[in-house]
Amino acid sequence: MGEADGTMVPTFEDSPMTLARGSIGGYEYDRMVLKFSMMDDGREIPCAVSASAMDDLERVSRTAPERREEQFVRLRDRIEQCASRKFMAREFEGTPPGIILRSIDFRN
């Protein structure tokens, strides 16, 4: 807990994770990512996961672009857990700031 004006306020580390499932934004062909969002209370956090990361997670060589959303749904829990970890570590990228997940982010 931190102090502000003599009162105790929770620091980022003391606060429970507030991310919740957001929406699926669809596959972006140019960037080869599937866009989705996570919710931090009422604030939408833009996120994306690379096509190659999803293929690596499923150990397949290449999924057709029109099948990316259903692939995301199958992998959604794992992808959102990884997005939550990057959110907690404040690993934002881009404009507006968001979470980008690549294959390396799923290696433990």
Side-chain angles (χ1 to χ4, degrees):
M1 294 277 206
E3 287 189 40
D5 300 326
T7 60
M8 298 298 282
V9 295
T11 62
F12 184 75
E13 293 80 18
D14 295 328
S15 300
M17 187 179 77
T18 59
L19 288 187
R21 183 166 282 180
S23 62
I24 299 174
Y27 186 67
E28 192 173 290
Y29 292 86
D30 294 347
R31 293 175 50 211
M32 296 180 67
V33 298
L34 188 121
K35 297 185 327 185
F36 65 103
S37 67
M38 300 288 287
M39 300 301 295
D40 178 30
D41 289 327
R43 184 172 57 123
E44 186 172 40
I45 309 298
C47 302
V49 59
S50 73
S52 60
M54 290 193 294
D55 287 345
D56 288 349
L57 284 171
E58 286 198 310
R59 293 183 173 88
V60 297
S61 60
R62 186 170 185 118
T63 301
E66 63 272 8
R67 312 271 331 229
R68 290 293 179 188
E69 284 192 43
E70 61 188 67
Q71 182 183 37
F72 174 80
V73 170
R74 286 192 303 273
L75 298 167
R76 192 170 191 168
D77 289 339
R78 289 178 68 189
I79 291 168
E80 289 177 343
Q81 287 172 357
C82 188
S84 293
R85 283 192 303 272
K86 286 191 84 166
F87 176 82
M88 295 296 286
R90 297 188 181 269
E91 294 179 21
F92 299 103
E93 299 179 47
T95 304
I99 303 291
I100 309 295
L101 302 173
R102 299 173 183 83
S103 294
I104 195 167
D105 295 312
F106 294 94
R107 296 181 188 141
N108 292 343

